[in-house]
Amino acid sequence: MRQRDVLVVFFDGVQSLDVTGPVEVFTGAARGAPGAYRIRTASLDGGPVRTSSGLTLTPDLPLADAPAPHTLLVPGGDGTRDPDPRLTDWLRTHAPLARRKVSVCSGALLLAEAGLLDGRRATTHWNLCDTLARRYPAVHVEADPIYVRDGDVATSAGVTAGIDLALALVEEDLGRDLALTVARHLVVFLRRPGNQTQFSAQLAVQTAERRPLRDVQQWISENPSADLSVDALAGRAGLSPRHFARAFRDEVGMTPGRYADRVRLEAARRRLEDTPDGIEEVARHCGYGTPEAMRRAFVRHLGSGPAEYRRRFQPARPAL
C-alpha cells in the first residue's frame, strides 16, 4: 500500500484539538490499513510549542528538515492572529510541493497570508469568515459549510470540523468502510456533509434590537408550520409589511423569508435526528407542506435529501 506522509505544522498558540482531532483520524486509519499514513509534526525551529490552552506539544523535527508531504495540515489557534513571518514564508515556498493542503479553523488565515487561497473557495470558523474575506479579497469565502474543497486545497471550520474533513480524506484515500471504522472508534458520525451549516439558524444571525422584531423571531422558531409570510409577520409586529421587511433585514441581517427558511430547515433537521416521525409528518410540522418541498430545501442547502440526512445523523436506538 502506498504510504501518504502527513505533516502537521506546529506553532505557539496552536489550538490543540485542531491538531489532535485530525491526527487521531489518520492514526486510526493507519491502524486499520498499516502503512497507509505516516504522521509527522514540525515547528519552525523543531522546539516545543505551547498551545492556546496551555499544553505543550513537542514536534518531531524542524520545518526546514521536513520533506515535501502528501498532505500538509495547518491547524488554527490564537497563534494565527499575528503569525511569525518565517512561518508564512515557509508555507509560501513549501506548501505548493504538497499534494494536498489542509487547514483547520483559523489555519485558513495562514494559508491565505501565504497566498495559497487566492482565487479559491475557502471557509474557516464562522467568527473569522468576515476577517478572512476582508483581509484577503482574492479568496472566495463561504461562511456556511463546515469544510470546503477546491482542487488540492481543503479548508474547514472550527475544531471538530477538522475531524469531519480528515474522515472525508480517509474515505477518499482508503474507502468508506475504513473511514466508518475510524469514526466508530472515535464515537463520531462517519462524516457530516461538507456543506452542512456550521451552526443553528438562531445562532447564525443577529438578534433584532427592537422588542417587536425579537418577539417575531422567537415566534417563528416556535411556530415553523404557521403562515410566515411578510404580511402575516408584519401584522404580528404591528408594522406595515414594507416597514417590517426593511427593519427586519436591517436588524437581523437577512430578509424575513430567508430567516423563516433557515428556521424551518433547522426544525426539520432536529426532528429527523430526534424523533421517529415520518418524512411527510416532519414536512407538515415544519411548514413545508409537502415532502417534495422539504426534499428540495434539503438538497439545496445540505446536499442530501431528508431520508439520507436521517440515515447519517439519527443516533442508533438501542434494541428493546
Side-chain angles (χ1 to χ4, degrees):
M1 179 178 293
R2 179 168 66 93
Q3 180 174 266
R4 296 171 175 84
D5 285 340
V6 178
L7 179 65
V8 185
V9 176
F10 281 6
F11 50 86
D12 282 322
V14 71
Q15 161 64 255
S16 57
L17 280 176
D18 288 1
V19 172
T20 57
V23 165
E24 288 292 343
V25 170
F26 289 121
T27 301
R31 291 193 192 100
Y37 296 106
R38 178 174 61 172
I39 297 95
R40 288 190 286 188
T41 58
S43 66
L44 275 170
D45 58 4
V49 300
R50 194 163 182 82
T51 70
S52 57
S53 60
L55 297 175
T56 297
L57 301 179
T58 302
D60 297 315
L61 71 167
L63 280 172
D65 295 342
H70 175 276
T71 300
L72 176 68
L73 193 148
V74 182
D78 292 344
T80 63
R81 294 177 180 175
D82 186 22
D84 190 320
R86 294 178 300 158
L87 177 56
T88 51
D89 287 345
W90 185 91
L91 289 171
R92 188 176 296 109
T93 302
H94 292 86
L97 304 177
R99 292 279 299 276
R100 287 191 303 220
K101 279 71 73 176
V102 177
S103 71
V104 183
C105 196
S106 59
L109 296 173
L110 297 178
L111 294 185
E113 180 66 22
L116 299 168
L117 299 183
D118 288 356
R120 295 183 183 271
R121 297 162 46 247
T123 194
T124 185
H125 189 283
W126 62 268
N127 198 39
L128 294 170
C129 284
D130 287 346
T131 300
L132 180 62
R134 184 177 64 255
R135 289 185 185 174
Y136 308 101
V139 181
H140 305 299
V141 179
E142 298 187 6
D144 214 25
I146 58 173
Y147 62 82
V148 170
R149 300 190 64 183
D150 189 333
D152 61 356
V153 177
T155 53
S156 62
V159 189
T160 57
I163 295 176
D164 294 294
L165 178 53
L167 285 168
L169 296 177
V170 168
E171 182 176 355
E172 175 185 288
D173 294 341
L174 303 172
R176 181 181 177 85
D177 288 346
L178 182 57
L180 180 58
T181 298
V182 174
R184 285 172 173 163
H185 179 74
L186 296 176
V187 197
V188 296
F189 296 117
L190 169 54
R191 61 182 173 94
R192 294 177 285 174
N195 56 355
Q196 182 170 327
T197 185
Q198 291 191 34
F199 34 51
S200 72
Q202 286 73 29
L203 291 178
V205 298
Q206 307 168 50
T207 300
E209 295 179 7
R210 282 179 276 183
R211 178 66 180 272
L213 298 181
R214 289 202 306 272
D215 289 346
V216 166
Q217 283 183 279
Q218 182 65 29
W219 190 84
I220 290 172
S221 67
E222 294 172 354
N223 299 275
S225 63
D227 178 2
L228 302 183
S229 66
V230 169
D231 286 350
L233 297 175
R236 182 164 291 277
L239 301 171
S240 71
R242 185 175 180 179
H243 184 192
F244 170 78
R246 183 172 61 250
F248 193 96
R249 184 180 62 251
D250 290 346
E251 295 195 19
V252 178
M254 64 177 62
T255 65
R258 188 179 176 198
Y259 182 78
D261 287 344
R262 286 200 175 197
V263 169
R264 281 177 167 151
L265 184 67
E266 179 78 8
R269 286 173 52 199
R270 294 291 175 246
R271 206 165 184 86
L272 289 169
E273 293 170 9
D274 300 337
T275 77
D277 295 348
I279 300 296
E280 185 172 354
E281 184 178 354
V282 172
R284 185 174 60 253
H285 179 86
C286 297
Y288 286 105
T290 67
E292 176 59 22
M294 184 169 76
R295 188 194 71 80
R296 289 197 300 269
F298 267 67
V299 171
R300 183 169 63 253
H301 293 287
L302 302 177
S304 62
E308 171 65 10
Y309 182 89
R310 168 170 273 170
R311 186 183 72 79
R312 290 186 180 186
F313 302 117
Q314 187 178 57
R317 301 184 182 279
L320 299 177

